[in-house]
Amino acid sequence: MSRLGYGPTPSRVAEVRQAGGARAWALAQVDAAAAASAQPPRPAPELAAFDQPLPEIFARFRAEREARRERRDAGNPPAGTAPMPPAAASADPDPRLSYSKDSIQAAAAWRLSACSRPDLEQPLLARLTEFWFNHLNVSADKGSVRPFAGHYLLHAIRPHVLGRFEDMLRASARHPAMLYYLDQAQSVAESTPRGGQARGLNENYARELMELHTLGVQGGYTQSDVRELARVLTGWTVAPDQPGGFRFAPRLHDAGSKTVLGQPFGPTDPRDARAGQYEGLAALHLLATHPATARRVALRLAQWFVADAPPPALVNHLASTFQATQGDLRAVTRALLQSPEFWAPAHALFKTPMDFACSALAALGGPPDEPALRQATGFLAAAGQPLLRWPTPDGYKTDAATWMAPDALTRRADLALTLGRRAPAADFLLPFYRPATRARIAAAAPGLQPGLVLASPDFMGK
Protein backbone atom coordinates (compact mmCIF):
# COMPACT_ATOMS: atom_id res chain seq x y z
CA MET A 1 0.00 0.00 0.00
CA SER A 2 2.94 2.34 0.59
CA ARG A 3 4.32 1.72 -2.91
CA LEU A 4 1.07 1.65 -4.86
CA GLY A 5 -0.14 4.75 -3.08
CA TYR A 6 0.88 6.63 0.02
CA GLY A 7 0.32 4.10 2.75
CA PRO A 8 -2.41 2.25 4.58
CA THR A 9 -5.72 3.76 5.58
CA PRO A 10 -8.52 1.83 7.30
CA SER A 11 -10.46 1.62 4.04
CA ARG A 12 -7.41 0.44 2.06
CA VAL A 13 -6.72 -2.29 4.60
CA ALA A 14 -10.31 -3.46 4.17
CA GLU A 15 -9.90 -3.40 0.36
CA VAL A 16 -6.93 -5.77 0.52
CA ARG A 17 -8.84 -8.22 2.68
CA GLN A 18 -11.87 -8.10 0.39
CA ALA A 19 -9.68 -8.66 -2.68
CA GLY A 20 -8.41 -11.93 -1.23
CA GLY A 21 -4.82 -10.82 -0.74
CA ALA A 22 -2.22 -8.26 -1.61
CA ARG A 23 -1.33 -9.52 -5.10
CA ALA A 24 -4.88 -9.62 -6.38
CA TRP A 25 -5.50 -6.21 -4.84
CA ALA A 26 -2.34 -4.78 -6.42
CA LEU A 27 -3.27 -5.87 -9.95
CA ALA A 28 -6.77 -4.48 -9.47
CA GLN A 29 -5.18 -1.12 -8.62
CA VAL A 30 -3.73 -0.92 -12.14
CA ASP A 31 -7.17 -1.23 -13.70
CA ALA A 32 -8.66 1.18 -11.17
CA ALA A 33 -5.92 3.75 -11.80
CA ALA A 34 -6.32 3.42 -15.59
CA ALA A 35 -10.06 4.01 -15.29
CA ALA A 36 -9.51 7.00 -12.99
CA SER A 37 -6.94 8.53 -15.35
CA ALA A 38 -9.60 8.67 -18.06
CA GLN A 39 -11.77 10.83 -15.82
CA PRO A 40 -11.10 14.53 -15.19
CA PRO A 41 -9.41 15.44 -11.90
CA ARG A 42 -11.52 16.97 -9.19
CA PRO A 43 -9.79 19.93 -7.58
CA ALA A 44 -11.97 21.71 -5.03
CA PRO A 45 -13.54 24.91 -6.39
CA GLU A 46 -11.25 27.07 -4.28
CA LEU A 47 -8.23 25.39 -5.94
CA ALA A 48 -9.46 25.70 -9.53
CA ALA A 49 -7.15 28.62 -10.41
CA PHE A 50 -4.52 26.30 -11.86
CA ASP A 51 -6.95 24.17 -13.86
CA GLN A 52 -8.45 26.78 -16.13
CA PRO A 53 -8.37 26.51 -19.94
CA LEU A 54 -4.95 27.44 -21.29
CA PRO A 55 -6.11 30.58 -23.17
CA GLU A 56 -7.49 31.90 -19.88
CA ILE A 57 -4.24 31.11 -18.05
CA PHE A 58 -2.30 32.96 -20.76
CA ALA A 59 -4.69 35.95 -20.50
CA ARG A 60 -4.42 36.17 -16.73
CA PHE A 61 -0.64 35.79 -16.90
CA ARG A 62 -0.48 38.66 -19.38
CA ALA A 63 -2.61 40.75 -17.03
CA GLU A 64 -0.25 39.94 -14.16
CA ARG A 65 2.81 40.99 -16.13
CA GLU A 66 1.07 44.19 -17.23
CA ALA A 67 0.19 44.98 -13.62
CA ARG A 68 3.82 44.48 -12.65
CA ARG A 69 4.95 46.85 -15.40
CA GLU A 70 2.44 49.43 -14.22
CA ARG A 71 3.70 49.15 -10.67
CA ARG A 72 7.33 49.31 -11.75
CA ASP A 73 6.65 52.35 -13.92
CA ALA A 74 4.98 53.99 -10.93
CA GLY A 75 8.15 53.52 -8.92
CA ASN A 76 6.98 50.63 -6.73
CA PRO A 77 8.86 47.31 -6.60
CA PRO A 78 6.89 44.49 -8.14
CA ALA A 79 5.67 42.02 -5.58
CA GLY A 80 6.47 38.34 -5.90
CA THR A 81 9.46 38.60 -8.21
CA ALA A 82 11.69 36.76 -5.73
CA PRO A 83 11.25 32.99 -5.21
CA MET A 84 8.01 32.73 -3.34
CA PRO A 85 7.73 31.40 0.19
CA PRO A 86 5.88 28.09 0.14
CA ALA A 87 2.60 29.23 1.65
CA ALA A 88 2.71 32.96 2.00
CA ALA A 89 -0.64 34.66 1.67
CA SER A 90 -0.87 37.53 -0.76
CA ALA A 91 -1.43 40.89 0.91
CA ASP A 92 -1.31 42.90 -2.33
CA PRO A 93 -4.55 44.76 -3.02
CA ASP A 94 -4.28 44.12 -6.78
CA PRO A 95 -5.28 40.46 -7.30
CA ARG A 96 -3.67 40.45 -10.74
CA LEU A 97 -0.23 40.60 -9.11
CA SER A 98 -0.68 37.35 -7.23
CA TYR A 99 -2.12 35.22 -10.04
CA SER A 100 0.97 33.05 -10.63
CA LYS A 101 1.58 32.60 -6.92
CA ASP A 102 -2.06 31.78 -6.21
CA SER A 103 -2.05 29.31 -9.10
CA ILE A 104 0.99 27.38 -7.94
CA GLN A 105 -0.17 27.37 -4.32
CA ALA A 106 -3.50 25.92 -5.46
CA ALA A 107 -1.68 23.27 -7.49
CA ALA A 108 0.48 22.38 -4.49
CA ALA A 109 -2.59 22.10 -2.27
CA TRP A 110 -4.17 19.81 -4.85
CA ARG A 111 -1.12 17.55 -4.89
CA LEU A 112 -1.14 17.13 -1.11
CA SER A 113 -4.89 16.56 -1.06
CA ALA A 114 -4.77 14.14 -3.99
CA CYS A 115 -1.99 12.03 -2.51
CA SER A 116 -3.58 11.76 0.92
CA ARG A 117 -7.28 11.32 0.15
CA PRO A 118 -8.13 8.12 -1.77
CA ASP A 119 -11.68 9.42 -2.14
CA LEU A 120 -10.31 12.37 -4.14
CA GLU A 121 -7.68 10.64 -6.30
CA GLN A 122 -7.02 6.95 -6.91
CA PRO A 123 -3.78 6.31 -4.97
CA LEU A 124 -1.84 4.47 -7.70
CA LEU A 125 -2.82 7.19 -10.15
CA ALA A 126 -1.50 9.83 -7.73
CA ARG A 127 1.70 7.83 -7.26
CA LEU A 128 2.29 7.39 -11.01
CA THR A 129 1.46 11.03 -11.69
CA GLU A 130 4.18 12.00 -9.21
CA PHE A 131 6.65 9.60 -10.84
CA TRP A 132 6.08 10.78 -14.38
CA PHE A 133 5.93 14.47 -13.47
CA ASN A 134 9.34 13.98 -11.87
CA HIS A 135 10.62 12.15 -14.96
CA LEU A 136 9.45 15.00 -17.22
CA ASN A 137 10.07 17.69 -14.65
CA VAL A 138 9.26 21.38 -14.98
CA SER A 139 9.84 23.90 -12.20
CA ALA A 140 7.52 26.68 -11.07
CA ASP A 141 10.58 28.56 -9.86
CA LYS A 142 10.99 29.71 -13.46
CA GLY A 143 8.58 32.62 -13.65
CA SER A 144 7.24 31.90 -17.13
CA VAL A 145 6.42 28.32 -16.09
CA ARG A 146 4.70 29.10 -12.79
CA PRO A 147 1.09 29.57 -13.95
CA PHE A 148 1.30 26.51 -16.22
CA ALA A 149 2.95 23.91 -13.95
CA GLY A 150 -0.25 22.71 -12.30
CA HIS A 151 -2.05 22.47 -15.64
CA TYR A 152 0.90 20.48 -17.01
CA LEU A 153 0.62 18.02 -14.11
CA LEU A 154 -3.10 17.46 -14.68
CA HIS A 155 -3.28 17.49 -18.47
CA ALA A 156 0.11 16.52 -19.92
CA ILE A 157 1.03 13.86 -17.34
CA ARG A 158 -1.98 12.48 -15.44
CA PRO A 159 -4.03 11.21 -18.43
CA HIS A 160 -1.10 9.24 -19.87
CA VAL A 161 0.51 7.49 -16.89
CA LEU A 162 -1.01 4.15 -17.89
CA GLY A 163 -1.21 4.83 -21.60
CA ARG A 164 1.53 4.91 -24.25
CA PHE A 165 4.81 6.54 -23.26
CA GLU A 166 5.00 8.23 -26.66
CA ASP A 167 1.66 9.95 -26.09
CA MET A 168 2.87 11.37 -22.78
CA LEU A 169 6.12 12.49 -24.40
CA ARG A 170 4.15 14.31 -27.12
CA ALA A 171 1.84 15.95 -24.57
CA SER A 172 4.84 17.10 -22.54
CA ALA A 173 6.69 18.39 -25.60
CA ARG A 174 3.76 20.55 -26.71
CA HIS A 175 2.66 21.92 -23.34
CA PRO A 176 3.51 25.58 -22.60
CA ALA A 177 5.11 24.59 -19.27
CA MET A 178 7.76 22.47 -21.02
CA LEU A 179 8.08 24.80 -24.01
CA TYR A 180 8.95 27.64 -21.60
CA TYR A 181 10.92 25.61 -19.05
CA LEU A 182 13.52 24.28 -21.49
CA ASP A 183 13.39 27.28 -23.84
CA GLN A 184 11.96 25.39 -26.80
CA ALA A 185 9.51 28.26 -27.40
CA GLN A 186 12.56 30.44 -28.24
CA SER A 187 14.32 27.97 -30.53
CA VAL A 188 14.18 28.92 -34.18
CA ALA A 189 16.17 28.20 -37.31
CA GLU A 190 19.53 29.98 -37.25
CA SER A 191 19.37 33.70 -38.14
CA THR A 192 15.58 33.76 -38.26
CA PRO A 193 14.37 37.38 -37.98
CA ARG A 194 11.94 37.58 -35.07
CA GLY A 195 10.75 40.62 -33.18
CA GLY A 196 13.31 42.80 -34.90
CA GLN A 197 16.19 40.61 -33.72
CA ALA A 198 18.01 37.68 -35.24
CA ARG A 199 17.30 34.67 -33.02
CA GLY A 200 18.83 31.25 -33.27
CA LEU A 201 18.81 27.66 -32.22
CA ASN A 202 18.35 26.74 -28.55
CA GLU A 203 19.45 23.19 -27.74
CA ASN A 204 18.18 22.98 -24.14
CA TYR A 205 15.03 20.97 -24.79
CA ALA A 206 16.63 18.67 -27.35
CA ARG A 207 19.47 17.88 -24.92
CA GLU A 208 17.21 17.06 -21.97
CA LEU A 209 14.80 15.19 -24.21
CA MET A 210 17.61 12.78 -25.07
CA GLU A 211 19.52 12.75 -21.78
CA LEU A 212 16.64 12.71 -19.29
CA HIS A 213 13.29 12.07 -20.94
CA THR A 214 14.25 9.19 -23.24
CA LEU A 215 17.65 7.67 -24.05
CA GLY A 216 19.64 8.52 -20.93
CA VAL A 217 23.17 9.85 -20.69
CA GLN A 218 24.57 6.49 -21.82
CA GLY A 219 22.01 6.18 -24.61
CA GLY A 220 24.45 6.34 -27.49
CA TYR A 221 23.74 9.83 -28.84
CA THR A 222 26.28 12.55 -29.60
CA GLN A 223 26.38 16.33 -29.38
CA SER A 224 25.74 16.34 -33.10
CA ASP A 225 22.51 14.41 -32.53
CA VAL A 226 21.43 16.99 -29.94
CA ARG A 227 21.99 19.84 -32.36
CA GLU A 228 20.27 18.04 -35.23
CA LEU A 229 17.29 17.23 -33.00
CA ALA A 230 17.07 20.88 -31.96
CA ARG A 231 16.94 21.79 -35.67
CA VAL A 232 14.17 19.23 -36.23
CA LEU A 233 12.10 20.79 -33.45
CA THR A 234 12.44 24.41 -34.55
CA GLY A 235 9.05 26.02 -34.98
CA TRP A 236 7.50 24.24 -31.96
CA THR A 237 6.26 27.10 -29.80
CA VAL A 238 3.41 28.36 -27.65
CA ALA A 239 0.01 29.55 -28.90
CA PRO A 240 -1.78 31.62 -26.25
CA ASP A 241 -5.09 31.57 -28.10
CA GLN A 242 -5.22 27.82 -28.76
CA PRO A 243 -6.87 25.28 -26.42
CA GLY A 244 -3.69 23.19 -26.36
CA GLY A 245 -1.39 26.20 -26.01
CA PHE A 246 0.79 24.89 -28.87
CA ARG A 247 1.42 25.78 -32.48
CA PHE A 248 3.93 24.91 -35.17
CA ALA A 249 5.32 27.97 -36.93
CA PRO A 250 6.63 26.99 -40.41
CA ARG A 251 8.56 30.26 -40.85
CA LEU A 252 10.62 29.50 -37.73
CA HIS A 253 11.42 25.94 -38.77
CA ASP A 254 14.78 24.82 -40.15
CA ALA A 255 13.75 23.32 -43.47
CA GLY A 256 17.17 21.86 -44.26
CA SER A 257 18.34 18.27 -44.10
CA LYS A 258 19.15 16.81 -40.68
CA THR A 259 20.24 13.45 -39.27
CA VAL A 260 19.29 12.21 -35.78
CA LEU A 261 20.64 8.86 -34.56
CA GLY A 262 21.40 7.99 -38.15
CA GLN A 263 17.88 8.68 -39.39
CA PRO A 264 17.45 11.43 -42.01
CA PHE A 265 14.90 14.23 -41.62
CA GLY A 266 13.93 16.82 -44.24
CA PRO A 267 14.41 18.82 -46.27
CA THR A 268 10.91 20.22 -45.92
CA ASP A 269 8.90 22.88 -47.67
CA PRO A 270 8.60 25.74 -45.11
CA ARG A 271 5.15 26.51 -46.50
CA ASP A 272 3.94 23.03 -45.63
CA ALA A 273 3.11 23.12 -41.90
CA ARG A 274 2.31 19.43 -41.78
CA ALA A 275 5.69 18.37 -43.16
CA GLY A 276 7.71 20.47 -40.72
CA GLN A 277 5.69 19.44 -37.70
CA TYR A 278 5.79 15.81 -38.78
CA GLU A 279 9.56 15.89 -38.50
CA GLY A 280 9.25 16.63 -34.81
CA LEU A 281 6.60 13.96 -34.26
CA ALA A 282 8.74 11.41 -36.10
CA ALA A 283 11.73 12.33 -33.95
CA LEU A 284 9.67 11.85 -30.78
CA HIS A 285 8.55 8.45 -32.08
CA LEU A 286 12.16 7.50 -32.79
CA LEU A 287 13.17 8.42 -29.25
CA ALA A 288 10.10 6.99 -27.49
CA THR A 289 10.53 3.56 -29.09
CA HIS A 290 14.33 3.36 -28.89
CA PRO A 291 15.76 0.40 -26.91
CA ALA A 292 17.79 2.79 -24.75
CA THR A 293 14.58 4.54 -23.73
CA ALA A 294 13.03 1.21 -22.77
CA ARG A 295 16.01 0.47 -20.52
CA ARG A 296 15.98 3.92 -18.94
CA VAL A 297 12.24 3.86 -18.20
CA ALA A 298 12.51 0.29 -16.87
CA LEU A 299 15.37 1.21 -14.53
CA ARG A 300 13.63 4.27 -13.15
CA LEU A 301 10.35 2.42 -12.57
CA ALA A 302 12.21 -0.39 -10.80
CA GLN A 303 14.06 2.12 -8.63
CA TRP A 304 10.80 3.88 -7.80
CA PHE A 305 8.80 0.76 -6.94
CA VAL A 306 11.31 -1.91 -5.88
CA ALA A 307 14.81 -0.90 -4.76
CA ASP A 308 17.42 1.84 -5.13
CA ALA A 309 19.59 -0.77 -6.87
CA PRO A 310 17.02 -3.06 -8.51
CA PRO A 311 17.89 -6.54 -9.79
CA PRO A 312 19.11 -6.37 -13.41
CA ALA A 313 16.79 -9.25 -14.33
CA LEU A 314 13.79 -7.14 -13.33
CA VAL A 315 15.03 -4.16 -15.32
CA ASN A 316 15.59 -6.36 -18.37
CA HIS A 317 12.11 -7.87 -18.04
CA LEU A 318 10.46 -4.45 -17.82
CA ALA A 319 12.51 -3.13 -20.74
CA SER A 320 11.49 -6.13 -22.84
CA THR A 321 7.84 -5.54 -21.98
CA PHE A 322 8.20 -1.86 -22.89
CA GLN A 323 9.65 -2.73 -26.28
CA ALA A 324 7.24 -5.57 -27.02
CA THR A 325 4.24 -3.36 -26.29
CA GLN A 326 5.57 -0.19 -27.98
CA GLY A 327 5.76 1.61 -24.65
CA ASP A 328 2.41 0.52 -23.18
CA LEU A 329 2.84 1.75 -19.60
CA ARG A 330 -0.14 -0.23 -18.34
CA ALA A 331 1.47 -3.45 -19.54
CA VAL A 332 4.83 -2.43 -18.03
CA THR A 333 3.20 -1.62 -14.69
CA ARG A 334 1.38 -4.95 -14.64
CA ALA A 335 4.64 -6.76 -15.43
CA LEU A 336 6.25 -4.95 -12.52
CA LEU A 337 3.53 -5.99 -10.08
CA GLN A 338 3.58 -9.58 -11.35
CA SER A 339 7.33 -9.89 -10.86
CA PRO A 340 8.73 -11.79 -7.86
CA GLU A 341 11.15 -8.93 -7.25
CA PHE A 342 8.33 -6.52 -6.41
CA TRP A 343 7.18 -8.79 -3.59
CA ALA A 344 10.60 -9.87 -2.27
CA PRO A 345 10.89 -8.80 1.42
CA ALA A 346 14.57 -8.00 0.93
CA HIS A 347 13.72 -5.06 -1.31
CA ALA A 348 13.07 -2.07 0.91
CA LEU A 349 12.71 1.60 0.05
CA PHE A 350 13.02 4.69 2.22
CA LYS A 351 10.29 7.31 1.94
CA THR A 352 11.18 10.59 0.31
CA PRO A 353 9.90 13.73 2.08
CA MET A 354 6.95 13.71 -0.35
CA ASP A 355 6.20 10.09 0.50
CA PHE A 356 6.39 10.89 4.20
CA ALA A 357 4.18 13.98 4.10
CA CYS A 358 1.56 12.28 1.92
CA SER A 359 1.51 9.07 3.96
CA ALA A 360 1.28 10.96 7.25
CA LEU A 361 -1.65 13.00 5.96
CA ALA A 362 -3.26 9.88 4.46
CA ALA A 363 -3.01 8.06 7.79
CA LEU A 364 -4.95 10.93 9.35
CA GLY A 365 -7.67 10.78 6.70
CA GLY A 366 -6.30 13.68 4.66
CA PRO A 367 -5.18 17.15 5.74
CA PRO A 368 -7.21 17.74 8.93
CA ASP A 369 -7.27 21.51 8.42
CA GLU A 370 -5.70 24.37 6.49
CA PRO A 371 -2.78 24.79 8.96
CA ALA A 372 -1.86 21.12 8.49
CA LEU A 373 -1.74 21.65 4.73
CA ARG A 374 0.51 24.68 5.13
CA GLN A 375 2.77 22.85 7.57
CA ALA A 376 3.18 19.93 5.17
CA THR A 377 3.94 22.31 2.30
CA GLY A 378 6.50 24.14 4.42
CA PHE A 379 8.03 20.85 5.57
CA LEU A 380 8.56 19.77 1.96
CA ALA A 381 10.25 23.06 1.08
CA ALA A 382 12.53 22.86 4.13
CA ALA A 383 13.28 19.19 3.51
CA GLY A 384 14.50 19.90 -0.02
CA GLN A 385 11.54 18.62 -2.00
CA PRO A 386 9.34 21.67 -2.65
CA LEU A 387 6.14 20.94 -4.52
CA LEU A 388 6.38 21.64 -8.28
CA ARG A 389 9.60 23.57 -7.69
CA TRP A 390 12.50 21.17 -8.22
CA PRO A 391 14.75 23.55 -10.14
CA THR A 392 16.63 21.25 -12.52
CA PRO A 393 15.29 19.04 -15.33
CA ASP A 394 16.53 15.81 -13.75
CA GLY A 395 13.80 15.73 -11.10
CA TYR A 396 14.49 15.00 -7.48
CA LYS A 397 16.37 11.93 -6.29
CA THR A 398 14.46 9.03 -4.81
CA ASP A 399 17.14 6.96 -3.08
CA ALA A 400 17.70 6.55 0.65
CA ALA A 401 21.22 8.01 0.52
CA THR A 402 19.75 11.35 -0.54
CA TRP A 403 17.04 11.61 2.09
CA MET A 404 18.24 9.66 5.16
CA ALA A 405 20.05 12.38 7.09
CA PRO A 406 19.78 13.30 10.80
CA ASP A 407 18.41 16.79 10.25
CA ALA A 408 15.89 15.48 7.73
CA LEU A 409 14.64 12.89 10.23
CA THR A 410 14.27 15.61 12.85
CA ARG A 411 12.09 17.59 10.46
CA ARG A 412 9.93 14.51 9.89
CA ALA A 413 9.52 14.01 13.64
CA ASP A 414 8.55 17.65 14.08
CA LEU A 415 5.86 17.38 11.40
CA ALA A 416 4.60 14.06 12.80
CA LEU A 417 4.28 15.42 16.34
CA THR A 418 2.55 18.57 15.09
CA LEU A 419 0.06 16.62 13.00
CA GLY A 420 -0.44 14.13 15.81
CA ARG A 421 -1.63 16.90 18.11
CA ARG A 422 -4.46 18.03 15.84
CA ALA A 423 -5.84 14.79 14.41
CA PRO A 424 -7.17 11.46 15.65
CA ALA A 425 -4.50 8.87 16.36
CA ALA A 426 -3.63 6.54 13.46
CA ASP A 427 -3.69 3.49 15.74
CA PHE A 428 -4.73 1.22 12.88
CA LEU A 429 -1.05 1.34 11.80
CA LEU A 430 0.22 -0.33 14.97
CA PRO A 431 -0.51 -3.93 13.88
CA PHE A 432 1.95 -3.36 10.98
CA TYR A 433 4.75 -2.29 13.33
CA ARG A 434 7.39 -4.41 15.04
CA PRO A 435 6.71 -5.32 18.68
CA ALA A 436 9.62 -3.19 19.88
CA THR A 437 8.21 -0.14 18.11
CA ARG A 438 4.78 -0.70 19.59
CA ALA A 439 6.29 -1.05 23.03
CA ARG A 440 8.22 2.23 22.75
CA ILE A 441 5.13 4.10 21.58
CA ALA A 442 3.06 2.63 24.41
CA ALA A 443 5.67 3.73 26.95
CA ALA A 444 5.57 7.36 25.77
CA ALA A 445 3.36 10.03 27.29
CA PRO A 446 -0.20 9.72 25.91
CA GLY A 447 -0.02 13.14 24.29
CA LEU A 448 3.01 12.12 22.27
CA GLN A 449 1.80 8.73 21.10
CA PRO A 450 -0.23 9.88 18.02
CA GLY A 451 2.80 11.74 16.70
CA LEU A 452 5.17 8.88 17.46
CA VAL A 453 3.03 6.53 15.39
CA LEU A 454 3.89 8.73 12.39
CA ALA A 455 7.50 9.40 13.44
CA SER A 456 8.43 5.76 14.07
CA PRO A 457 11.14 4.06 12.00
CA ASP A 458 8.53 1.54 10.83
CA PHE A 459 6.59 4.36 9.16
CA MET A 460 9.62 5.57 7.18
CA GLY A 461 9.89 2.55 4.91
CA LYS A 462 7.81 1.53 1.94
Side-chain angles (χ1 to χ4, degrees):
M1 284 182 273
S2 294
R3 297 186 187 189
L4 304 184
Y6 293 92
T9 67
S11 62
R12 300 279 282 172
V13 173
E15 284 177 14
V16 174
R17 292 186 178 129
Q18 291 168 3
R23 296 180 187 236
W25 173 83
L27 289 173
Q29 297 310 295
V30 179
D31 297 332
S37 70
Q39 301 300 317
R42 295 175 292 157
E46 63 271 21
L47 303 180
F50 74 99
D51 190 28
Q52 297 166 318
L54 281 171
E56 188 167 343
I57 294 177
F58 272 107
R60 296 188 67 176
F61 190 35
R62 279 197 303 272
E64 179 183 19
R65 287 186 293 184
E66 180 60 31
R68 292 183 185 281
R69 278 194 293 270
E70 292 172 1
R71 172 168 287 207
R72 189 165 46 244
D73 293 345
N76 297 318
T81 51
M84 64 179 179
S90 171
D92 200 295
D94 187 343
R96 295 178 300 169
L97 289 166
S98 64
Y99 173 66
S100 291
K101 183 171 66 178
D102 293 344
S103 175
I104 203 62
Q105 288 181 351
W110 155 256
R111 288 195 71 183
L112 281 176
S113 299
C115 72
S116 60
R117 286 185 48 190
D119 63 312
L120 192 64
E121 185 77 324
Q122 204 281 337
L124 179 57
L125 174 58
R127 170 65 79 185
L128 287 169
T129 301
E130 184 195 352
F131 171 81
W132 285 110
F133 179 88
N134 193 54
H135 183 80
L136 301 167
N137 185 56
V138 300
S139 175
D141 272 352
K142 187 168 184 173
S144 57
V145 177
R146 191 173 297 174
F148 301 100
H151 190 281
Y152 174 80
L153 174 81
L154 291 190
H155 297 283
I157 303 298
R158 182 182 180 275
H160 303 293
V161 298
L162 287 166
R164 287 201 320 150
F165 175 73
E166 182 176 349
D167 292 338
M168 182 159 46
L169 198 64
R170 284 188 182 193
S172 167
R174 297 197 277 196
H175 195 280
M178 184 60 78
L179 290 165
Y180 282 137
Y181 179 55
L182 291 175
D183 306 313
Q184 177 57 39
Q186 303 173 19
S187 184
V188 300
E190 290 288 9
S191 303
T192 300
R194 192 182 187 192
Q197 295 180 332
R199 306 280 296 275
L201 200 63
N202 189 307
E203 300 176 6
N204 285 354
Y205 177 64
R207 179 175 296 102
E208 306 304 357
L209 178 59
M210 285 184 155
E211 179 177 332
L212 298 174
H213 300 174
T214 58
L215 306 176
V217 69
Q218 303 297 328
Y221 64 92
T222 66
Q223 171 56 31
S224 175
D225 289 315
V226 170
R227 184 169 182 79
E228 293 292 277
L229 178 60
R231 292 179 62 210
V232 166
L233 292 170
T234 46
W236 286 47
T237 189
V238 297
D241 58 345
Q242 294 298 310
F246 169 81
R247 72 184 175 100
F248 176 73
R251 70 181 182 83
L252 305 179
H253 180 65
D254 185 329
S257 300
K258 312 99 174 171
T259 302
V260 178
L261 299 174
Q263 179 169 314
F265 292 83
T268 57
D269 182 344
R271 298 166 298 181
D272 185 347
R274 295 182 58 186
Q277 186 173 354
Y278 180 77
E279 279 193 350
L281 295 175
L284 291 177
H285 175 76
L286 173 66
L287 295 171
T289 57
H290 196 282
T293 300
R295 289 194 296 273
R296 175 166 172 75
V297 168
L299 175 62
R300 287 176 66 84
L301 278 169
Q303 290 173 325
W304 180 267
F305 281 105
V306 177
D308 292 344
L314 172 63
V315 177
N316 291 338
H317 175 57
L318 298 182
S320 297
T321 304
F322 186 101
Q323 284 189 265
T325 62
Q326 291 287 293
D328 183 338
L329 298 177
R330 186 170 179 171
V332 175
T333 304
R334 289 183 69 88
L336 175 71
L337 300 187
Q338 289 171 320
S339 70
E341 292 89 348
F342 180 83
W343 300 97
H347 294 146
L349 291 166
F350 185 71
K351 289 180 179 177
T352 66
M354 179 77 176
D355 292 330
F356 176 74
C358 290
S359 58
L361 293 172
L364 302 177
D369 50 30
E370 181 65 23
L373 202 59
R374 289 201 301 271
Q375 285 163 350
T377 305
F379 158 77
L380 288 169
Q385 198 174 13
L387 288 164
L388 301 163
R389 293 173 51 208
W390 185 259
T392 52
D394 55 347
Y396 55 77
K397 305 292 185 185
T398 62
D399 60 307
T402 298
W403 301 113
M404 191 182 291
D407 62 329
L409 296 178
T410 300
R411 293 183 193 279
R412 294 183 189 214
D414 290 344
L415 178 64
L417 293 172
T418 301
L419 292 176
R421 283 195 290 269
R422 64 159 49 99
D427 290 343
F428 70 93
L429 291 170
L430 292 174
F432 298 100
Y433 288 2
R434 292 168 294 180
T437 303
R438 294 200 297 269
R440 284 180 177 273
I441 293 173
L448 293 177
Q449 290 179 11
L452 292 178
V453 170
L454 304 179
S456 73
D458 299 48
F459 193 69
M460 300 297 169
K462 60 178 179 177

